[in-house]
Amino acid sequence: MLCAVGPAHAEKGFGGGTDGETEQRADTGEDGSVSVMVKGVVFDHSKNGSGDSAGAVTSTTSWSPPACWYAPKYTPKQLQEYLEPIWEVGSTGYEWDAKQREKYNAKDEKKGFNKDKTGKGYWWGTYVNKSYPPGWDSCDKDYFWVDTGDPPPADIENAVTPEVLAELAYAEIRVPGTEVTLAPTEATKVNLPTWAWLDGAEFKPVSVTASVEAIGINATATAEPVSLEIKPGTPDAETYPASGVCEINDGRIGAPYAKGKADATPPCGVKYLRSSGDGTFPLQATVTWEIHWTGSGGAGGDLPDGEFGATQNVVVQEIQAVNR
């Protein structure tokens, strides 16, 4: 019998093992025993940001999500089937192979590779972020055994726990693009306020859930928009507010321009003090997202804020006077 253990709507995330998969499955033997094949972490992206303009957040601090991690990888039988052909070829050398056979008690037909603990734990191994960021090769521990229900060894960094799963989910978060709407639309004028805002319908919380069903742990990382920072692209400009940071208010960042507001000060915007000539000014709009997480066992907390921004070209024209 073959059955899927991951959620039906979960999409494949990065680093699901050496073959890039995140699938998990269970096989039932003739004696009724069940061996679970584990292929790393499963990511549920169903509540993530989508669309062509969506992108990954960048931490506002020096912190970054794990580039590699340890998770359940093999049952006793599967590890035996993986390692023994390697030893038989002898490519790693007789001395090394002998030590490995001794480590896994390979000569014992009943207890070798912890076969006497089948169904009571897993051999854990390394998984890698397939974009290979710095540190992807730092998880160099050999396979280690963890009994079902026990936490992984405390001295092994990035062995999956709810918190580590939350950090992995952080790397999977995608948020909407940040091209702001400006008024005036096609070209703004020198010394006149330009209103800026983002569509409140798009800027809602997004989340990703990471789980390892075989050991019953999960975590959800949620990103919520909190502010928009505007950089006009020239020092000859003033921003509204003066800090250039527009806070979110009632689910909206900034406010759309409406007729009759020509003399009003925009809650979010910019005033250019000189024309862009024959060119444009590169206005940068960056949204900051607060990120927190919840996980199995009531765990939870905060993760570093994330940023995602874009640059758009703004034409600034002189106001044309009419001489009579």
Side-chain angles (χ1 to χ4, degrees):
M1 181 183 74
L2 190 66
C3 63
V5 234
H9 56 275
E11 298 177 13
K12 291 183 179 180
F14 63 69
T18 54
D19 52 8
E21 296 178 0
T22 55
E23 149 190 1
Q24 300 178 22
R25 74 177 191 224
D27 296 305
T28 303
E30 294 180 0
D31 60 355
S33 63
V34 177
S35 63
V36 179
M37 185 173 187
V38 184
K39 289 286 187 177
V41 177
V42 174
F43 297 97
D44 176 2
H45 297 107
S46 61
K47 296 180 180 179
N48 208 4
S50 60
D52 294 339
S53 64
V57 294
T58 301
S59 171
T60 59
T61 71
S62 59
W63 176 88
S64 59
C68 63
W69 60 95
Y70 301 94
K73 198 159 193 176
Y74 294 116
T75 64
K77 179 182 177 183
Q78 290 162 355
L79 184 61
Q80 180 181 16
E81 291 175 346
Y82 173 69
L83 289 179
E84 285 191 336
I86 297 175
W87 298 338
E88 290 300 324
V89 173
S91 59
T92 52
Y94 174 81
E95 185 176 349
W96 169 259
D97 293 347
K99 288 181 178 179
Q100 290 286 292
R101 286 188 174 94
E102 182 179 352
K103 173 183 177 179
Y104 296 106
N105 193 20
K107 294 182 180 180
D108 191 320
E109 287 294 327
K110 294 184 177 180
K111 296 184 178 181
F113 301 92
N114 283 0
K115 282 186 286 187
D116 56 326
K117 290 188 174 184
T118 297
K120 300 177 181 179
Y122 302 98
W123 289 102
W124 290 40
T126 301
Y127 294 84
V128 174
N129 181 332
K130 290 301 182 179
S131 65
Y132 301 105
W136 69 269
D137 55 351
S138 62
C139 297
D140 54 4
K141 302 287 186 184
D142 204 354
Y143 300 110
F144 56 92
W145 179 266
V146 179
D147 288 331
T148 300
D150 286 353
D155 62 339
I156 297 184
E157 187 178 6
N158 291 347
V160 290
T161 60
E163 183 170 5
V164 170
L165 287 179
E167 294 172 352
L168 295 176
Y170 183 112
E172 293 285 304
I173 287 174
R174 299 294 180 266
V175 296
T178 53
E179 183 171 351
V180 297
T181 303
L182 300 175
T185 53
E186 296 185 5
T188 188
K189 305 296 183 182
V190 171
N191 291 323
L192 289 181
T194 298
W195 291 58
W197 68 94
L198 288 167
D199 185 353
E202 292 185 11
F203 282 82
K204 295 181 179 180
V206 298
S207 65
V208 173
T209 298
S211 61
V212 182
E213 293 290 332
I215 57 175
I217 63 172
N218 64 76
T220 299
T222 301
E224 299 187 57
V226 292
S227 64
L228 165 71
E229 181 177 14
I230 290 180
K231 295 181 179 180
T234 172
D236 297 316
E238 298 174 357
T239 56
Y240 304 99
S243 65
V245 177
C246 308
E247 303 292 338
I248 190 167
N249 185 21
D250 294 331
R252 183 193 298 269
I253 299 179
Y257 174 78
K259 188 176 181 180
K261 291 184 176 180
D263 296 327
T265 298
C268 184
V270 59
K271 179 169 71 175
Y272 287 98
L273 306 179
R274 69 177 177 88
S275 122
S276 59
D278 294 331
T280 59
F281 290 131
L283 181 145
Q284 292 181 332
T286 303
V287 173
T288 296
W289 298 74
E290 282 186 350
I291 302 177
H292 60 272
W293 68 277
T294 56
S296 49
D302 296 324
L303 291 168
D305 290 350
E307 293 180 336
F308 185 62
T311 299
Q312 57 199 89
N313 295 322
V314 177
V315 176
V316 181
Q317 299 173 339
E318 294 281 2
I319 297 176
Q320 301 297 317
V322 178
N323 296 318
R324 295 183 181 273

